[in-house]
Amino acid sequence: MPSASANYRTVLRTSGAVAFFLPAAVGRLGIAMTGIGIVWLVHARTGSYAVAGLVTGGFAVADAVAGPQIGRLVDRFGQARVLPCTLGAHAGAVALLLAGAVPDLVAGVLVGATLPQLAALSAARWSALLSGERAAALPTAFALEALANGVSYLAGPALVSVLGAAGRPGAGVLLAAALVVGGGLALSSQRRTMPPLTGHAERRHAGRALLRSAFLRQVALGLALGVFFGSMQVSVAAYAVGRGTPDTAALLYVAANCTSLVGGWAYGAWRHGGSPRRHQAAAAACLALASLPLTFLDAPLAVGVTLALTGLAVPVLLILSSVLTESAVPRSVLTQAFTWGNSASAAGIAGAAAVAGRVVDTGGAHGGFGVAAGAAAVMTVLTLGGLRGSSPDVPKSSAPAETMAPNPPTTRRDSSTNRKAP
């Protein structure tokens, strides 16, 4: 415990780190509240969960589609110019939703399309701040990001649900927007830690890195991880309802989420050594092995313990995906790269919810758990495929961007090979 705390403290004591990490964490809490807040608001307005689900689905799809485009604008014009504009548009979209000035579906799509990509912006700042000899601390920094997301998605929906159950669904949406806009504006004011901009020619050349196998593998992994999340959500609910104890679902979710926080904290605190690609392959294999028993277990305690084991591996995959994405593309397109990973995960969740629902209807909860286990197996194959490549994941085109980083020296430690790249 003392060494772990010191490890996190060392990262947070980096000059300027707390000043951007905390506002981004506040904004992400609002982002975690937005989707479920829309469900409560639209259901209270229409009395229909079907309509509420449709609006929330439109919100999620718009977020997944628009996210990489916002990331591309950030890489081109900088966080200080793009983020305030995005926040203003988001506030306007939320106002339209609250006022009912346009159809709820249209408003939901606008809210999703203008949602700021605060997680990607914060991750890009960590990459710029921890360059050169400090790059070894990036896994711990990305573990902090994973912990912030985990806490947000535990606390945010609960807070909105309390307001919705109290008959004030609009207050939940308004509070979410206030946190997003407030945290985002505070983040944009921290100019000292913003990643440096690069020229147009360099960005165009660097954009080719988004087609490299090292990066596309991480996007595919994000898609498979989204399928895992989406099928698990449906399957856990189906399992609890099928046993006649629907309240059990909440306990099972809590078991997985709490161990997920522990797993993310432990990996970030660990003094890392070896290749992140090997760590990622090991985490994917452990997730696949832990998921298989869910296809035949029936006892609630056994299912809960197994779900808790899967929760340990998930944050490690997320952390290492950020590490390997950071090492696979130049900094001039890094924000866009991070948002592509988030969008792939969101697309996987949306698609898996529909597919797993059909499987559960025909094969029960065990069939839905089988979809999740299959997604974990795909992740294992993807990560093992990444081990066959011997070349480093840092393209040579990233070198000019590194020389502009605010924290010298200009050499950068390759996260996947532990060697310095020129």
Side-chain angles (χ1 to χ4, degrees):
M1 289 287 289
S3 63
S5 299
N7 204 10
Y8 281 113
R9 284 200 303 267
T10 300
V11 171
L12 288 172
R13 284 175 178 171
T14 305
S15 179
V18 174
F20 77 79
F21 175 72
L22 290 182
V26 170
R28 275 182 295 206
L29 177 60
I31 290 174
M33 297 166 62
T34 303
I36 189 65
I38 291 175
V39 172
W40 279 99
L41 178 64
V42 175
H43 177 262
R45 185 177 289 169
T46 65
S48 170
Y49 280 112
V51 175
L54 178 64
V55 175
T56 306
F59 158 82
V61 170
D63 179 29
V65 172
Q69 309 313 315
I70 294 175
R72 184 179 181 182
L73 292 174
V74 169
D75 285 330
R76 180 175 181 180
F77 299 107
Q79 296 187 14
R81 294 176 64 183
V82 175
L83 187 52
C85 297
T86 304
L87 293 170
H90 182 69
V94 172
L96 290 175
L97 176 64
L98 290 172
V102 297
D104 288 337
L105 179 58
V106 174
V109 168
L110 291 175
V111 171
T114 57
L115 200 67
Q117 305 299 308
L118 297 182
L121 301 184
S122 183
R125 288 186 184 234
W126 280 119
S127 177
L129 198 63
L130 299 176
S131 59
E133 296 299 325
R134 289 179 288 187
L138 270 176
T140 301
F142 290 143
L144 276 173
E145 294 290 306
L147 287 171
N149 279 336
V151 171
S152 295
Y153 280 92
L154 274 177
L159 180 57
V160 169
S161 297
V162 168
L163 292 171
R168 305 189 65 184
V173 174
L174 185 60
L175 177 59
L179 292 173
V180 171
V181 174
L185 289 176
L187 177 63
S188 66
S189 69
Q190 301 298 318
R191 295 174 177 266
R192 186 165 62 90
T193 53
M194 284 190 298
L197 296 179
T198 56
H200 174 70
E202 184 179 344
R203 283 195 310 272
R204 184 173 57 184
H205 178 69
R208 299 172 187 170
L210 298 177
L211 300 177
R212 297 177 76 247
S213 61
F215 171 68
L216 293 177
R217 187 180 301 114
Q218 299 308 313
V219 174
L221 184 73
L223 180 65
L225 196 56
V227 173
F228 179 85
F229 286 142
S231 54
M232 276 293 187
Q233 290 173 357
V234 174
S235 302
V236 168
Y239 168 79
V241 171
R243 291 186 59 86
T245 56
D247 291 343
T248 306
L251 297 176
L252 295 175
Y253 287 133
V254 168
N257 288 334
C258 287
T259 55
S260 180
L261 291 176
V262 172
W265 177 88
Y267 187 80
W270 177 39
R271 302 294 180 179
H272 304 279
S275 168
R277 283 182 287 186
R278 288 191 175 90
H279 296 170
Q280 191 179 57
C286 289
L287 182 64
L289 290 174
S291 302
L292 283 176
L294 292 172
T295 61
F296 57 83
L297 289 176
D298 287 315
L301 180 59
V303 171
V305 171
T306 306
L307 286 172
L309 291 176
T310 65
L312 291 173
V314 167
V316 179
L317 287 169
L318 292 172
I319 293 165
L320 290 169
S321 182
S322 295
V323 170
L324 292 171
T325 295
E326 192 273 345
S327 70
V329 301
R331 191 161 293 155
S332 53
V333 293
L334 186 56
T335 307
Q336 185 181 357
F338 281 134
T339 55
W340 272 116
N342 296 337
S343 294
S345 181
I349 291 173
V355 173
R358 289 179 177 271
V359 173
V360 167
D361 284 342
T362 57
H366 287 152
F369 285 129
V371 175
V378 170
M379 285 184 263
T380 304
V381 172
L382 288 170
T383 54
L384 290 176
L387 294 178
R388 293 186 300 177
S390 59
S391 60
D393 284 336
V394 180
K396 293 181 179 179
S397 59
S398 66
E402 294 302 318
T403 63
M404 298 177 64
N407 296 292
T410 58
T411 56
R412 175 182 178 184
R413 187 168 298 277
D414 182 352
S415 300
S416 62
T417 60
N418 288 326
R419 295 179 299 182
K420 288 184 179 179

